[in-house]
């Protein structure tokens, strides 16, 4: 090998790998540019950009004024935005907030759905910027495909391009919680200055201005799996007696009622959510909540590190809602709960999950964890058998190295 | 190559990577999607070639603040001119050749700007390129020398040595005949050594000393 070849080999070793986050950024930029190229053209786009279809309310007068469109709405609305803000939808918005601004970028499409005191913008494509302050007892968010961006008195924007499998969430004020889609069982809490990018299967979070002493990192939170409700809550969240702590008023005239455990859970305050649930009667809730909310309660207990209550809720979830996705995934989460303390028990939960929900989105994790759990439980043969199964399906998966170490002598 | 220190890859569970559902279509299928401008074609194009394009751009320019722009420009040119490609077997090499052309044009443009405006280019080796001081120093030195070379020679040198391309590939990617590519490389090697000795004394000697050929 010549000196130049040696030097070049050293340069290749010194060259850094392009991070997944950097690739996600490049991909989003390229895809976004090609999308723009296909749209009506630059001039039309700039004209359309002048259009801000929004809802504005002068703040300070509770429930007196209604939402109205922004004054710039005089510009012709692009065809793709015609569905925006009917009178019914304006009234719907009044349920969650009496002030704020909601801006839909040109060529976007969205509509509103409401369920009790919960209102969501369903973003079909494009970008929406939200500066909405929800009323107490109401929940507000943006649904983009399989993702839910839950707002907690905040200013943020969501861009969603289903054709490009692109989701961008930026937080300018307050915080949001993002779940669903590629996040799997995880939910991510984003703080001010943070941006979540999901492009295809790549997920990254970037922080524009990291500040010392900030709350738990999104990574840490993301490592905590979370159950999403199978369907929207059938009961209005703000008026649901089961979610309201005893002694707290539900009267709209009352001053600042305490947030419900579901609200606390949605905003990532798991310990407080669990405390609230305990005040209401944890056992009573476990026995009476609908499946989706029971999953939320199990999450609150798990993420608040209360393994006993988490197990209780998850077992109940399996007993009452066994056939639902939440019920099936409860087996996986029960495995996770006992993984460290009793790997043998964890292994049997993983096996249950794999048998009951083959092809579910945590199959790979369950199979990978099964290898590790059997190994730690001292079941070498079973660990090897799980490793063979794993490699057969996921030859380059996250646990492939561990599996190969068991399969290859 | 823009690496943001604050960027973090999100993983759903400790030790387990996100499940990657990559598109497994062939180059022929990808080409077909691109030709009919299917909605996800651009994303799939990027996914298929991002590694190749990033690698060749890095080898041709080194740590460069405009790395992402060059990658973007490459993909946009590929996307806009995809109609020129009819054979799927040539898609991969064509994408790389577009990247080489994009970088070569940029290097020439910089050279001209440097000459006209007495502008200095600087190799952008920041902490983003790792905390290994020696590795950073090596990148700074090597690309500092390459910066001083004519764009064509630099490109041939980088493709042959850093990107480990065969001489046939180098000739094809730079659109010259094989003998011309060989002559360019010989010239580039001599210039690299001469500039290296002047700009960064001891750089090549360090590797020559380690080479078994040194003793012959």
């Amino acid at each position: 090998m010549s000196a130049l070849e040696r030097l070049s080999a050293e340069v290749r070793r010194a060259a850094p790998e392009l991070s997944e986050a950097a690739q996600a950024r490049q991909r989003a930029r390229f895809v976004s540019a090609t999308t723009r190229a296909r749209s009506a053209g630059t001039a039309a786009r700039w004209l359309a950009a002048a259009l801000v279809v929004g809802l504005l309310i002068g703040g300070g007068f509770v429930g007196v004024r209604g939402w109205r469109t922004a004054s710039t709405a005089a510009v012709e609305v692009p065809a793709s935005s015609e569905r925006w803000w009917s009178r019914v939808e304006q009234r719907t918005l009044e349920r969650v907030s009496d002030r704020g601004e909601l801006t839909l970028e040109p060529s976007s499409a969205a509509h509103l759905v409401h369920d009790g005191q919960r209102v969501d913008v369903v973003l079909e494509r494009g970008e929406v910027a939200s500066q909405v302050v929800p009323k107490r007892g109401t929940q507000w968010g943006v649904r983009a495909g399989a993702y839910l961006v839950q707002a907690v008195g905040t200013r943020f924007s969501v861009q969603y391009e289903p054709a490009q499998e692109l989701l961008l969430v930026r937080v300018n004020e307050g915080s949001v919680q993002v779940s669903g889609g590629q996040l799997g069982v995880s939910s991510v809490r984003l703080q001010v200055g943070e941006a979540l990018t999901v492009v295809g299967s790549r997920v990254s979070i970037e922080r524009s201005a990291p500040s010392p002493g900030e709350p738990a990192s999104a990574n840490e939170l993301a490592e905590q799996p979370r159950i999403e409700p199978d369907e929207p809550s059938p009961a209005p969240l703000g008026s649901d007696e089961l979610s309201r702590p005893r002694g707290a008023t539900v009267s709209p005239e009352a001053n600042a009622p305490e947030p419900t455990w579901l609200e606390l859970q949605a905003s990532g305050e798991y310990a407080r959510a669990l405390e609230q649930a305990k005040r209401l009667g944890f056992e009573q809730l476990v026995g009476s909540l609908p499946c989706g909310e029971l999953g939320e309660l199990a999450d609150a207990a798990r993420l608040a590190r209360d393994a006993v209550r988490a197990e209780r809720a998850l077992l109940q979830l399996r007993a009452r809602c066994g056939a639902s996705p939440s019920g099936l995934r409860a087996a996986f989460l029960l495995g996770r709960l006992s993984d460290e303390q009793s790997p043998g028990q964890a292994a049997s939960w993983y096996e249950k999950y794999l048998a009951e929900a083959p092809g579910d989105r945590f199959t790979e994790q369950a199979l990978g964890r099964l290898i590790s759990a059997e190994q730690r439980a001292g079941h070498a043969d079973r660990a090897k058998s799980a490793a063979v199964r794993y490699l057969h399906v996921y030859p380059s998966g996250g646990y492939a190295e561990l599996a190969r170490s068991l399969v290859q002598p | 190559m823009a690496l943001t220190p604050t960027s973090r890859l999100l993983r759903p569970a400790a030790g387990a990577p996100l499940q990657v559902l990559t598109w497994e279509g062939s180059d022929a299928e990808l080409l077909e999607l691109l030709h009919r401008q299917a909605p996800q074609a651009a994303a799939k194009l990027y996914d298929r070639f991002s590694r190749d394009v990033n690698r060749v751009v890095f080898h041709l320019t080194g740590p460069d603040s405009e790395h992402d722009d060059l990658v973007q420009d490459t993909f946009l040119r590929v996307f806009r001119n995809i109609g020129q490609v009819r054979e799927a077997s040539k898609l991969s090499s064509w994408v790389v050749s577009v990247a080489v052309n994009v970088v070569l044009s940029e290097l020439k443009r910089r050279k001209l700007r440097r000459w006209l405006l007495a502008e200095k280019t600087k190799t952008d080796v920041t902490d983003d390129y790792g905390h290994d001081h020696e590795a950073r120093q090596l990148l700074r030195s090597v690309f500092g020398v390459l910066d001083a070379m004519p764009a064509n020679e630099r490109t041939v040198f980088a493709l042959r040595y850093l990107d480990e391309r065969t001489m046939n590939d180098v000739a094809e990617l730079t659109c010259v005949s094989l003998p011309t590519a060989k002559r360019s490389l010989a010239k580039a090697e001599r210039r690299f050594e001469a500039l290296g000795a002047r700009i960064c004394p001891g750089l090549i000697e360090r590797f020559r000393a380690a080479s078994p050929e040194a003793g012959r």
Side-chain angles (χ1 to χ4, degrees), chain A residues 67-384:
Chain A
W67 291 77
R68 63 173 190 267
T69 50
S71 55
T72 45
V75 181
E76 189 185 344
V77 178
S80 56
S81 292
E82 278 178 356
R83 293 182 62 188
W84 198 236
W85 305 152
S86 65
R87 286 301 305 167
V88 173
E89 286 173 328
Q90 292 184 25
R91 281 195 294 276
T92 299
L93 274 167
E94 289 169 11
R95 290 169 184 267
V96 285
S97 182
D98 44 34
R99 62 199 168 91
E101 188 173 314
L102 203 56
T103 310
L104 190 68
E105 290 296 314
S107 301
S108 302
H111 63 273
L112 292 175
V113 293
H114 68 97
D115 175 19
Q117 291 302 101
R118 175 174 188 92
V119 175
D120 288 319
V121 173
V122 177
L123 182 60
E124 293 157 32
R125 66 173 181 278
E127 184 169 355
V128 66
S130 166
Q131 196 174 351
V132 173
V133 182
K135 294 175 187 172
R136 286 277 185 191
T138 60
Q139 292 198 329
W140 165 248
V142 176
R143 289 186 182 276
Y147 298 92
L148 170 62
V149 181
Q150 175 74 48
V152 192
T154 193
R155 195 155 63 85
F156 66 100
S157 67
V158 179
Q159 186 185 351
Y160 178 59
E161 303 294 348
Q164 282 79 41
E165 303 168 61
L166 168 73
L167 177 81
L168 287 172
V169 182
R170 298 184 195 87
V171 181
N172 306 107
E173 197 178 291
S175 65
V176 300
Q177 185 152 324
V178 189
S179 58
Q182 290 291 341
L183 301 177
V185 273
S186 309
S187 66
V188 174
R189 189 166 191 190
L190 297 178
Q191 307 288 346
V192 178
E194 288 187 329
L196 169 79
T197 308
V198 183
V199 188
S201 58
R202 297 195 185 95
V203 181
S204 63
I205 294 177
E206 289 188 30
R207 188 173 297 158
S208 56
S211 56
E214 61 195 297
S217 75
N219 244 0
E220 287 159 19
L221 285 167
E223 288 183 358
Q224 299 297 332
R226 169 179 194 280
I227 297 176
E228 295 103 336
D230 301 324
E231 53 199 20
S233 168
L237 296 177
S239 58
D240 186 351
E241 286 302 318
L242 286 172
S243 63
R244 180 80 54 199
R246 285 189 189 113
T249 176
V250 292
S251 159
E253 290 79 25
N255 288 331
E258 277 191 69
T260 66
W261 69 265
L262 268 170
E263 288 161 356
L264 291 167
Q265 154 75 356
S267 61
E269 296 182 66
Y270 308 114
R272 280 186 68 200
L274 182 62
E275 281 310 308
Q276 200 78 279
K278 285 198 286 195
R279 278 209 292 278
L280 286 168
F282 186 85
E283 286 302 319
Q284 187 196 343
L285 288 178
V286 164
S288 56
L289 284 175
C291 296
E293 289 179 18
L294 185 54
E296 296 282 344
L297 185 62
D299 275 342
R302 258 177 351 93
L303 298 170
R305 313 271 183 219
D306 189 333
V308 175
R309 286 192 172 79
E311 186 180 29
R312 174 88 189 87
L314 287 169
L315 286 171
Q316 185 65 215
L317 195 56
R318 278 186 62 77
R320 285 184 26 217
C321 320
S324 73
S326 289
L328 293 170
R329 278 170 211 153
F332 172 67
L333 293 168
L334 281 161
R336 292 288 315 271
L337 269 185
S338 51
D339 202 309
E340 283 182 17
Q341 303 298 327
S342 343
Q345 192 183 341
S348 65
W349 278 121
Y350 293 142
E351 284 284 21
K352 270 198 184 86
Y353 172 70
L354 290 167
E356 291 172 1
D360 194 31
R361 55 183 167 168
F362 309 121
T363 303
E364 194 216 338
Q365 269 201 57
L367 199 46
R369 288 178 179 279
L370 177 65
I371 304 170
S372 166
E374 295 285 26
Q375 196 183 25
R376 282 177 288 121
H379 305 146
D381 286 351
R382 290 190 207 164
K384 191 175 174 184

Side-chain angles (χ1 to χ4, degrees), chain A residues 1-8 10-12 14-27 29-31 33-34 38 162-165 182-183 186 188 194 196 201-207 210 217-219 222-225 336 361 364-365 369 394 397-399, chain B residues 1-4 6-21 37-40 42-47 50-51 54 58-59 67-69 71-72 75-76 79 129 135 138-139 142-143 157 160-162 164 189 192-193 203-204 207-208 210-213:
Chain A
M1 192 185 272
S2 72
L4 287 178
E5 284 170 332
R6 280 177 180 276
L7 179 144
S8 302
E10 201 58 36
V11 169
R12 283 194 296 276
E17 279 290 314
L18 188 68
S19 71
E20 296 257 354
Q23 283 189 60
R25 222 174 25 242
Q26 284 182 356
R27 188 186 198 260
R29 185 181 171 198
F30 169 57
V31 168
T34 56
R38 277 197 294 264
Q164 282 79 41
E165 303 168 61
Q182 290 291 341
L183 301 177
S186 309
V188 174
E194 288 187 329
L196 169 79
S201 58
R202 297 195 185 95
V203 181
S204 63
I205 294 177
E206 289 188 30
R207 188 173 297 158
S217 75
N219 244 0
E223 288 183 358
Q224 299 297 332
R336 292 288 315 271
R361 55 183 167 168
E364 194 216 338
Q365 269 201 57
R369 288 178 179 279
Y394 308 104
Y399 293 87
Chain B
M1 201 179 304
L3 299 178
T4 312
T6 52
S7 296
R8 290 164 296 149
L9 178 66
L10 186 72
R11 294 186 187 282
L18 285 163
Q19 203 162 354
V20 179
L21 303 170
Q37 297 198 324
Q40 294 187 18
K44 292 183 192 325
L45 173 72
Y46 179 87
D47 291 345
S50 80
R51 187 176 283 267
N54 273 291
F58 183 82
H59 287 153
H67 175 97
D68 281 0
D69 292 340
V71 170
Q72 168 82 349
F75 277 111
L76 284 177
F79 192 76
Y129 290 87
L138 178 70
L139 292 177
V142 169
F143 285 101
F157 183 93
R160 176 72 186 96
Y161 284 106
L162 300 181
E164 296 184 287
E189 286 169 349
F192 184 86
E193 296 207 9
L203 171 68
I204 302 165
F207 292 92
R208 209 188 305 278
S211 168
E213 290 170 9

